[in-house]
């Protein structure tokens, strides 16, 4: 559907661009994940870009909500772009997300100079794109051509030669980026061998396509598919090579900056936010550059996002402690034994089991429950959903000919689909059951019978999951509009089947209201999964409510641990 075009780069244009770009990455992120072979073939570039932009978009929406609550018409351009840059910085994930955060920050540094009621025109957008490309390149310790940095520079070069309004400049930037993306396999041997373009660059092309749509009202025609067609002798169809094969060949340089990263490359990805001054960060760059590769440090004004690949993850964190105050520390192991993945090992790696279940779970308690039931689990920590590469590793770890995959989250549907497609190319039969909550996964796992035919087992598990209504009780992180009205930060929300149904202040009262709504349609079994922060008495209260108010309905209670939501509820 055509969008109403924005004439100038003002706060509304920032909001529109973020929303359109987030939608574009949501549609393509699993495909981008699938072509992520460089610098580490861990299949998460699309997801990292999406999560980074999701954080930027949420920050912009919060600014608009704040102005609306205060009676103002809309924020100034400077307020919107600063929020966008800050949101991207604090939410940046992985190499690609960190570089995208710096690109957005570079644009914001130029656009924030247009104080209200001014707005940026074509010249302002040209300057913003140029500064974004230059600042992103400066943030990478060892820039390498054939990556997102090359695509960003080409976009800025093309925009600089364009004349006209924001729409004309955005179109030129998109065309320049698209042409540069097609040439990335010619610049990096690992891309050429794999028959793909640079994944980060492909994501940036999608973001620039959204910029064109923002100012013209129409998405560019001919937006390239992830796999091609491309110039040169590059594969346009077929599966992406197995990550292990690609690494065994030796990757040469690091895609977004760095030292050689082959089979013996650094074992860990380390990311954290850092509060520190400029001088301390300069020393930190030198320290981390000696520890590993893929070093990207973005930010400024006392707040930085640090990303590095290193064998000694502890030393990388200690370097941050010496520089300032690191927090939101995330360490990911690149090996087959991913730190997010748990589950019993097969007795013999040489002989595959016939069938296995792989499930994403939101807390340690549920991970233990699923593991006891024989599933291999992938832990989704609050605010840190797993990438498709982690699901691929979990399927390989399950070591079975047939795998049933339970994403247990509606937002993980695309990620799980990308993982399933990748392992199917390795000869594993995979069925993806679209479970939207861990309680639906519990219901599916309860009827799982490995001895019966695969199709029959999948149908039975799918039916059990579909017959389970799900709900959760959570705390609102910020003011927002919901199906039940406006909620404020700190309000208790009761969500039924993914939509906010009740808003209040008391956890137990909201939980009871949600449970009553669900049982009004009938039910035989209520499943309660308590998070660590849930009131101790809520489970007992709900059990009593069911026993006294709903005859012949049973209740089972589990402890989920640090699962994000205070309470998960399932009704079968």
């Amino acid at each position: 559907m055509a969008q109403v075009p924005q004439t100038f780069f003002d706060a509304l244009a920032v909001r529109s661009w973020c929303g359109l770009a987030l939608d574009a990455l949501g549609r393509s992120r699993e495909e981008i994940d699938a072509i992520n072979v460089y610098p580490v073939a861990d299949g998460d570039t699309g997801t990292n870009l999406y999560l980074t932009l999701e954080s930027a978009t949420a920050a912009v929406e919060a600014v608009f909500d704040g102005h609306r609550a205060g009676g103002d018409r809309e924020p100034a351009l400077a307020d919107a772009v600063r929020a966008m840059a800050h949101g991207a910085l604090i939410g940046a994930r992985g190499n690609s997300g960190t570089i995208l955060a710096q690109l957005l920050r570079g644009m914001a540094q130029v656009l924030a100079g247009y104080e209200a009621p001014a707005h940026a025109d074509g010249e302002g957008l040209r300057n913003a794109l140029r500064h974004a490309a230059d600042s992103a390149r400066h943030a990478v310790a060892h820039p390498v051509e054939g990556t997102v940095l090359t695509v960003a520079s080409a976009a800025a070069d093309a925009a600089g030669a364009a004349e006209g309004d924001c729409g004309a400049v955005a179109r030129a930037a998109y065309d320049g980026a698209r042409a540069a993306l097609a040439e990335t396999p010619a610049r990096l041997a690992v891309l050429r061998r794999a028959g793909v373009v640079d994944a980060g660059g492909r994501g940036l092309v999608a973001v620039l396509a959204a910029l064109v749509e923002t100012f013209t009202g129409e998405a560019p025609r001919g937006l390239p598919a992830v796999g091609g067609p491309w110039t040169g002798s590059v594969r346009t169809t077929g599966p992406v090579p197995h990550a292990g094969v690609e690494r065994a060949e030796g990757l040469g340089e690091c895609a977004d900056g760095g030292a050689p990263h082959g089979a013996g490359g650094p074992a860990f990805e380390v990311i954290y936010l850092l509060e520190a001054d400029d001088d301390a960060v300069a020393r930190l760059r030198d320290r981390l550059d000696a520890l590993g590769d893929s070093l990207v440090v973005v930010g400024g004004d006392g707040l930085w996002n640090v990303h590095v690949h290193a064998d000694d993850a502890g030393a990388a964190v200690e370097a941050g402690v010496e520089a300032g105050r690191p927090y939101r520390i995330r360490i990911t192991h690149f090996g087959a034994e991913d730190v997010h993945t748990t589950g019993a090992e097969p007795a013999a790696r040489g002989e595959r089991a016939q069938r296995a279940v792989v499930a994403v779970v939101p807390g340690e308690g549920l991970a233990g429950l699923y593991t006891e039931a024989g599933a291999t689990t992938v832990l989704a920590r609050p605010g840190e959903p797993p990438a498709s590469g982690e699901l691929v590793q979990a399927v390989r770890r399950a070591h079975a000919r047939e795998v049933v995959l339970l994403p247990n989250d509606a937002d993980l549907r695309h990620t799980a689909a990308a993982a399933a497609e990748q392992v199917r190319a390795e000869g594993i039969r995979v069925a993806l059951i679209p479970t939207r909550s861990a309680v639906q996964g519990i219901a599916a796992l309860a009827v799982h019978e490995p001895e019966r035919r695969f199709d029959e087992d999948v149908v039975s598990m799918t039916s059990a999951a579909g017959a389970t209504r799900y709900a959760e009780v959570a705390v609102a992180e910020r003011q927002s509009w919901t199906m039940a009205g406006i909620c404020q930060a700190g309000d208790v929300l009761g969500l039924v089947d993914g939509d906010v149904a009740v808003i209040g202040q008391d956890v137990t009262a909201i939980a009871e209201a949600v449970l009553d709504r669900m049982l009004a349609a009938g039910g035989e079994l209520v499943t309660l999964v308590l998070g660590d922060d849930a009131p101790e008495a809520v489970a007992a209260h709900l059990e009593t409510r069911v026993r006294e108010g709903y005859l012949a309905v049973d209740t089972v209670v589990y402890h989920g641990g640090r699962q994000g939501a205070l309470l998960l509820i399932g009704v079968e």
Side-chain angles (χ1 to χ4, degrees):
M1 181 180 295
Q3 300 291 317
V4 177
Q6 302 294 318
T7 305
F8 299 101
F9 214 139
D10 57 8
L12 285 175
V14 174
R15 186 187 198 185
S16 178
W17 180 34
C18 286
L20 290 170
L22 188 64
D23 288 343
L25 289 175
R27 291 191 301 270
S28 61
R29 66 172 176 171
E30 72 274 16
E31 297 174 352
I32 296 174
D33 282 343
I35 64 169
N36 172 204
V37 298
Y38 199 63
V40 179
D42 50 356
D44 62 359
T45 290
T47 298
N48 287 339
L49 289 169
Y50 179 86
L51 293 174
T52 301
L53 195 55
E54 183 179 49
S55 181
T57 303
V60 172
E61 289 298 326
V63 167
F64 271 84
D65 289 345
H67 277 71
R68 183 168 50 242
D72 295 339
R73 183 177 180 182
E74 66 181 59
L77 171 60
D79 294 334
V81 294
R82 285 170 181 152
M84 174 184 71
H86 181 75
L89 179 66
I90 64 174
R93 294 279 294 272
N95 242 14
S96 54
T98 307
I99 291 174
L100 176 62
Q102 187 63 16
L103 287 168
L104 297 180
R105 177 179 172 82
M107 292 187 70
Q109 288 174 324
V110 172
L111 297 173
Y114 292 83
E115 297 295 340
H119 46 242
D121 54 11
E123 180 181 1
L125 180 54
R126 284 195 295 271
N127 294 336
L129 289 168
R130 178 78 272 160
H131 186 64
D134 293 344
S135 62
R137 189 171 288 269
H138 177 72
V140 176
H142 302 285
V144 172
E145 298 306 326
T147 68
V148 63
L149 298 177
T150 302
V151 176
S153 294
D157 291 344
E163 297 181 357
D165 59 10
C166 287
V169 173
R171 166 64 75 172
Y174 166 78
D175 289 340
R178 188 175 187 272
L181 178 65
E183 295 298 324
T184 54
R187 290 174 174 261
L188 275 178
V190 64
L191 300 179
R192 185 166 59 253
R193 290 196 300 271
V196 296
V197 295
D198 178 66
R202 174 59 179 84
L204 180 58
V205 168
V207 171
L208 291 173
L211 188 65
V212 174
E213 188 173 0
T214 298
F215 292 114
T216 67
E218 295 286 347
R221 292 180 179 271
L223 183 64
V226 170
W230 308 104
T231 59
S233 57
V234 179
R235 187 189 73 236
T236 58
T237 59
V240 174
H242 188 293
V245 173
E246 204 55 64
R247 293 181 66 151
E249 291 178 352
L251 298 187
E253 315 96 335
C254 183
D256 295 324
H261 204 322
F268 297 96
E269 178 185 57
V270 181
I271 305 173
Y272 50 82
L273 291 177
L274 177 70
E275 293 178 355
D277 58 36
D278 291 1
D279 290 341
V281 170
R283 294 190 295 271
L284 175 65
R285 287 178 189 268
D286 292 339
R287 174 83 179 275
L288 293 179
D289 195 20
L291 282 175
D293 63 29
S294 289
L295 174 60
V296 187
V297 181
V298 304
D301 302 320
L303 180 62
W304 309 82
N305 192 302
V306 179
H307 171 281
V308 68
H309 296 171
D311 280 323
D312 192 341
V317 175
E318 289 173 5
V321 173
E322 293 176 4
R325 186 178 78 88
Y327 60 103
R328 291 196 186 180
I329 300 168
R330 176 182 171 86
I331 300 173
T332 303
H333 190 264
F334 288 132
E337 303 298 328
D338 191 274
V339 293
H340 280 231
T341 309
T342 62
E345 286 284 0
R349 297 298 298 178
E351 180 65 27
R352 288 184 180 273
Q354 182 60 33
R355 188 174 309 158
V357 175
V358 173
V360 180
V361 292
E364 295 87 347
L366 281 180
L369 174 68
Y370 273 72
T371 300
E372 288 176 6
T376 296
T377 64
V378 180
L379 187 62
R381 300 182 180 90
E384 297 182 3
S388 62
E390 293 178 65
L391 301 187
V392 169
Q393 292 290 357
V395 172
R396 291 173 183 158
R397 178 184 172 92
H399 204 59
R401 300 181 183 89
E402 302 168 339
V403 173
V404 179
L405 185 56
L406 306 175
N408 291 340
D409 187 334
D411 290 337
L412 288 178
R413 178 173 60 90
H414 295 306
T415 301
E421 188 65 25
Q422 184 170 344
V423 295
R424 286 183 187 125
E426 300 172 13
I428 302 173
R429 189 180 185 187
V430 181
L432 172 60
I433 297 178
T435 49
R436 294 173 290 176
S437 170
V439 292
Q440 288 187 322
I442 291 173
L445 198 57
V447 300
H448 168 55
E449 293 184 14
E451 291 77 18
R452 63 185 166 194
R453 291 179 54 230
F454 184 66
D455 292 341
E456 293 177 355
D457 198 28
V458 170
V459 168
S460 178
M461 295 176 72
T462 302
S463 178
T468 302
R469 299 188 67 198
Y470 66 96
E472 68 177 76
V473 177
V475 177
E477 295 182 354
R478 58 181 178 273
Q479 182 192 61
S480 61
W481 295 84
T482 75
M483 296 287 289
I486 302 175
C487 72
Q488 305 295 327
D491 282 350
V492 180
L493 308 179
L495 296 88
V496 178
D497 293 336
D499 292 324
V500 176
V502 190
I503 302 174
Q505 300 297 318
D506 183 76
V507 174
T508 302
I510 293 297
E512 181 177 321
V514 167
L515 185 59
D516 285 342
R517 288 194 180 208
M518 297 178 73
L519 287 174
E524 298 176 355
L525 175 65
V526 172
T527 300
L528 304 175
V529 183
L530 297 174
D532 280 348
D533 295 328
E536 293 183 2
V538 67
H541 179 86
L542 294 179
E543 286 184 289
T544 300
R545 175 68 177 167
V546 172
R547 184 171 59 253
E548 295 179 352
Y550 301 93
L551 299 178
V553 177
D554 294 325
T555 305
V556 60
V557 180
Y558 302 110
H559 292 274
R562 297 189 299 274
Q563 62 184 23
L566 298 175
L567 176 67
L568 301 177
I569 303 174
V571 173
E572 302 176 46

